[in-house]
């Protein structure tokens, strides 16, 4: 657009670049042709003639650049997005001791030994009913704590 303004209106390059908000380097840039691009361009044109649903997969930057230069309007299929179900809101208990929560946790001491915790909490008022702490919490101990 800036080049056509300079040619048709006879304005200076500086004024045209300021009007279109581009740099003068961008105005003067001329793309260099690459001999490696010609076979790819011919191959792309042949593919678009034979198969409209074809996409590109190798050396994707060069192929995509040539594809855009040739203005081949191939449709690039976007990835299908996963449909996530809307989560239900958590039910809030209306009285004490209706719903409890168990929260098993673990941590590590400075000397590298790992210990485990089992917290049992009332959901209504967030009161802790019990905490079991040991280096190992087998299932019998969890049952006994509950």
């Amino acid at each position: 657009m800036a080049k056509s303004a300079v040619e048709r209106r006879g304005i200076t390059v500086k004024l045209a670049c300021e009007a279109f908000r581009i740099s003068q380097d961008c105005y003067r840039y001329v793309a260099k042709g690459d001999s490696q691009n010609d076979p790819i361009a011919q191959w792309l044109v042949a593919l678009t003639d034979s198969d409209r649903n074809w996409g590109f997969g190798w050396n994707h930057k060069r192929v995509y650049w040539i594809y855009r230069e040739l203005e081949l309007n191939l449709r690039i299929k976007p990835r299908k997005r996963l449909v996530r179900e809307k989560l239900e809101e958590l039910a809030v208990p209306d009285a004490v001791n209706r719903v409890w929560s168990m929260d098993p946790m673990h941590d590590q001491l400075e000397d590298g030994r790992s210990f485990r915790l089992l917290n049992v909490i009332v959901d209504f008022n967030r009161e802790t009913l019990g905490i079991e702490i040991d280096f190992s919490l087998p299932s019998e101990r969890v049952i006994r704590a509950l």
Side-chain angles (χ1 to χ4, degrees):
M1 292 175 65
K3 287 187 180 187
S4 66
V6 170
E7 292 171 4
R8 291 182 186 167
R9 307 272 183 193
I11 61 174
T12 63
V13 172
K14 182 178 179 181
L15 183 61
C17 290
E18 286 177 5
F20 291 103
R21 295 183 179 164
I22 61 170
S23 67
Q24 291 186 25
D25 291 334
C26 182
Y27 174 83
R28 291 187 173 89
Y29 175 76
V30 177
K32 298 176 184 175
D34 191 354
S35 60
Q36 294 178 349
N37 293 346
D38 294 335
I40 297 173
Q42 292 170 359
W43 184 69
L44 282 171
V45 171
L47 277 172
T48 55
D49 289 340
S50 64
D51 188 5
R52 287 279 177 203
N53 293 327
W54 179 83
F56 50 85
W58 56 271
N59 197 354
H60 61 90
K61 291 179 184 176
R62 178 183 296 262
V63 173
Y64 185 66
W65 180 78
I66 297 169
Y67 156 82
R68 288 182 56 208
E69 286 290 315
L70 293 173
E71 296 177 0
L72 300 172
N73 294 324
L74 291 178
R75 181 173 170 251
I76 299 172
K77 293 181 182 178
R79 288 187 177 192
K80 291 184 179 179
R81 296 184 182 226
L82 295 176
V83 177
R84 299 196 184 262
E85 295 179 17
K86 189 173 182 180
L87 297 176
E88 295 179 17
E89 292 186 19
L90 295 176
V92 179
D94 54 355
V96 179
N97 289 332
R98 295 270 172 119
V99 179
W100 292 359
S101 294
M102 290 191 326
D103 186 18
M105 300 170 55
H106 70 90
D107 205 348
Q108 196 170 28
L109 298 173
E110 188 175 313
D111 62 0
R113 294 184 296 165
S114 180
F115 65 93
R116 289 160 174 61
L117 293 96
L118 175 68
N119 302 315
V120 180
I121 302 168
V122 178
D123 285 350
F124 179 72
N125 58 1
R126 306 267 203 256
E127 181 183 341
T128 302
L129 295 178
I131 301 175
E132 291 288 320
I133 304 172
D134 206 343
F135 291 107
S136 175
L137 288 174
S139 60
E140 293 93 16
R141 180 137 178 221
V142 171
I143 293 169
R144 186 174 66 228
L146 292 175

